[in-house]
Amino acid sequence: ILSVLLWGLPQSMLKAIKFNTNLDDVVEKFGAPMICGDFNFHVENKNDQNAKKFIALYESKGFQQHVDKGTHNSGGVLDLILTLKSGTDALPLKDVIVESNTGTTSDHHLVYVDIPNHLQPHSSQKKAFATKNVREFKKIDINEFRHDLFCSLTTIQLTSVDQAIDIYQDNLKAILDLHAPLVTRNFKMRQSPWWNKSCKSAKVEVRKAQRKFYKDKSNSEAREIYNEKCIDKSIIINRARNLYFNEKLSSSKGNPKATYKVLNHLMDKEYGENKLPHCNDKTMLAENFKTFFDSKVKDIYSGIEKDSVQYKETNSDQYMQGHENLSRFAQFREVSVEELFDLAKDLSDKSCELDILPIWLFKSCLPELI
């Protein structure tokens, strides 16, 4: 809990501008905020313009006020307790009591409130994970794996390509289940490092309120709830982001390199400035882009036309006879094992999820697979 005590806030809204900035600072700090004290605004008076502006100010920041009885000898509600309205950051205060018998000479009354002591402790950023079933190929004993491949594939008589593919997949899967069975692993999902459970919860609440409001846009209550949830979400996300980068900058104190790295990330210097070539004139930059890609397309077309003209000149007889014999594969020769071996060795090491074996493991077992 972040407790903030105030006394005698000036009624002039011009002088209270600093309070606006202080509210932003409070929201960004660690802990669930609770602001209390003598605010010196008669919030019970609906006709008090200064009080109305003050109420609009703290409500725009996502705060709510809990005291509803007079806290002064004259009956005015001057001593207030402000907390955030957000469901994830609100303090569930109970039993707000105003006691006039203070035992002192003060003209203000005592305000009692019960604060729960079972709040969830602050935890560091919890990383989101995605659960996947994977094979630990790196733990495979290559020699034993190749031996099992040799024993399972060399005794099979193949009659068609389709049969060869089915046998290849079934046998490999069975051998992989022995050497690298499927295991469940958690993988960190890509997301902002400052995104936490509160941000996620606030986003969900906004979506719920939005769906309810969109069903009936004439519902003023639904509109008000939706606007409140949007304010809550903005406050929570901004606070989470600011807390994260404040901690990063604090931990980088005395380390200029680490500090500049954080600042460059915040100012998007690493990514933003390098997205486009340097040019002072945006119109000229656009023209340069157009010229570049126009020349690329023309070069491609000129290459195609050059090849086409050359083909026509060397094969003019066939070309003039209705293109009957063009682009036909009429003769084939059998590919040798050595050629397949060389082609497989030249494959890129990139793999996809559809590949039964990663390419690096496939290359290690070429003698058994070809």
Side-chain angles (χ1 to χ4, degrees), residues 10-19 41 50 53:
Q11 286 195 355
S12 171
M13 289 307 295
L14 292 176
K15 295 181 179 179
I17 289 177
K18 187 177 180 181
F19 181 67
F41 284 102
N50 283 335
K53 292 178 181 179

Side-chain angles (χ1 to χ4, degrees), residues 318-330:
Q318 295 92 332
Y319 190 85
M320 297 301 295
Q321 293 176 5
H323 306 81
E324 290 87 353
N325 298 323
L326 297 182
S327 301
R328 289 187 179 183
F329 295 95

Side-chain angles (χ1 to χ4, degrees), residues 336-351:
S336 66
V337 175
E338 290 75 15
E339 288 177 311
L340 283 177
F341 199 90
D342 291 337
L343 289 172
K345 286 196 302 183
D346 292 335
L347 288 174
S348 171
D349 286 338
K350 295 180 180 179
S351 301

Side-chain angles (χ1 to χ4, degrees), residues 223-273:
R223 178 192 295 273
E224 184 177 351
I225 293 174
Y226 173 55
N227 291 334
E228 290 178 355
K229 294 298 182 182
C230 289
I231 294 174
D232 290 345
K233 175 189 169 185
S234 178
I235 291 172
I236 293 169
I237 291 178
N238 286 335
R239 183 168 70 171
R241 184 192 297 113
N242 293 339
L243 280 174
Y244 171 78
F245 284 110
N246 283 338
E247 291 174 0
K248 291 284 285 184
L249 288 172
S250 298
S251 62
S252 303
K253 189 175 182 180
N255 186 346
K257 184 177 181 180
T259 301
Y260 277 111
K261 185 176 181 180
V262 177
L263 292 176
N264 287 337
H265 177 78
L266 286 172
M267 294 185 290
D268 201 22
K269 281 192 172 182
E270 183 178 355
Y271 304 100
E273 291 186 354

Side-chain angles (χ1 to χ4, degrees), residues 154-333:
T154 54
T155 58
I156 299 175
Q157 298 296 325
L158 303 176
T159 58
S160 67
V161 175
D162 292 336
Q163 182 195 24
I165 293 174
D166 292 339
I167 291 176
Y168 170 80
Q169 292 179 335
D170 294 341
N171 279 269
L172 277 181
K173 185 177 182 303
I175 296 172
L176 282 174
D177 288 340
L178 294 174
H179 291 268
L182 287 172
V183 293
T184 302
R185 291 288 182 266
N186 292 328
F187 294 90
K188 185 173 69 172
M189 298 175 63
R190 292 183 178 181
Q191 63 178 16
S192 299
W194 47 264
W195 188 266
N196 55 29
K197 187 177 180 180
S198 297
C199 297
K200 182 178 179 181
S201 177
K203 185 177 179 180
V204 171
E205 291 297 323
V206 169
R207 294 293 295 160
K208 288 181 180 178
Q210 184 186 46
R211 286 193 292 268
K212 187 175 181 180
F213 168 57
Y214 281 3
K215 286 182 179 178
D216 182 11
K217 292 189 177 182
S218 61
N219 188 337
S220 59
E221 182 181 358
R223 178 192 295 273
E224 184 177 351
I225 293 174
Y226 173 55
N227 291 334
E228 290 178 355
K229 294 298 182 182
C230 289
I231 294 174
D232 290 345
K233 175 189 169 185
S234 178
I235 291 172
I236 293 169
I237 291 178
N238 286 335
R239 183 168 70 171
R241 184 192 297 113
N242 293 339
L243 280 174
Y244 171 78
F245 284 110
N246 283 338
E247 291 174 0
K248 291 284 285 184
L249 288 172
S250 298
S251 62
S252 303
K253 189 175 182 180
N255 186 346
K257 184 177 181 180
T259 301
Y260 277 111
K261 185 176 181 180
V262 177
L263 292 176
N264 287 337
H265 177 78
L266 286 172
M267 294 185 290
D268 201 22
K269 281 192 172 182
E270 183 178 355
Y271 304 100
E273 291 186 354
N274 296 327
K275 289 178 181 176
L276 296 174
H278 176 72
C279 185
N280 295 327
D281 189 350
K282 293 183 178 180
T283 303
M284 183 180 296
L285 180 61
E287 288 294 328
N288 292 340
F289 266 108
K290 185 196 73 171
T291 304
F292 174 80
F293 286 105
D294 182 66
S295 62
K296 291 279 288 184
V297 172
K298 288 180 178 178
D299 288 343
I300 293 173
Y301 273 108
S302 64
I304 295 174
E305 292 174 355
K306 182 179 179 181
D307 293 339
S308 177
V309 170
Q310 184 178 0
Y311 187 85
K312 291 176 184 178
E313 293 176 351
T314 55
N315 302 274
S316 57
D317 294 338
Q318 295 92 332
Y319 190 85
M320 297 301 295
Q321 293 176 5
H323 306 81
E324 290 87 353
N325 298 323
L326 297 182
S327 301
R328 289 187 179 183
F329 295 95
Q331 297 180 352
F332 300 91
R333 66 175 179 83

Side-chain angles (χ1 to χ4, degrees), residues 50-193:
N50 283 335
K52 290 174 65 176
K53 292 178 181 179
F54 175 69
I55 293 173
L57 172 62
Y58 69 69
E59 287 184 346
S60 69
K61 304 296 181 181
F63 284 86
Q64 60 182 338
Q65 204 281 119
H66 296 272
V67 182
D68 56 2
K69 295 182 180 179
T71 64
H72 194 267
N73 289 341
S74 63
V77 181
L78 304 178
D79 301 274
L80 313 177
I81 299 176
L82 303 178
T83 62
L84 285 175
K85 291 188 292 184
S86 167
T88 54
D89 291 308
L91 285 174
L93 304 182
K94 297 187 299 182
D95 300 331
V96 179
I97 301 174
V98 178
E99 177 60 57
S100 59
N101 185 14
T102 64
T104 68
T105 59
S106 174
D107 55 353
H108 287 260
H109 302 167
L110 284 176
V111 180
Y112 296 91
V113 63
D114 287 340
I115 303 175
N117 59 1
H118 58 275
L119 296 176
Q120 293 183 353
H122 179 267
S123 60
S124 58
Q125 170 69 33
K126 295 183 179 180
K127 298 179 180 178
F129 293 91
T131 302
K132 294 182 180 180
N133 294 324
V134 298
R135 298 186 188 272
E136 298 179 319
F137 292 106
K138 295 292 184 180
K139 294 184 178 181
I140 291 178
D141 186 315
I142 302 298
N143 293 327
E144 292 185 6
F145 186 74
R146 291 179 62 180
H147 177 267
D148 289 347
L149 278 178
F150 178 80
C151 295
S152 64
L153 297 177
T154 54
T155 58
I156 299 175
Q157 298 296 325
L158 303 176
T159 58
S160 67
V161 175
D162 292 336
Q163 182 195 24
I165 293 174
D166 292 339
I167 291 176
Y168 170 80
Q169 292 179 335
D170 294 341
N171 279 269
L172 277 181
K173 185 177 182 303
I175 296 172
L176 282 174
D177 288 340
L178 294 174
H179 291 268
L182 287 172
V183 293
T184 302
R185 291 288 182 266
N186 292 328
F187 294 90
K188 185 173 69 172
M189 298 175 63
R190 292 183 178 181
Q191 63 178 16
S192 299

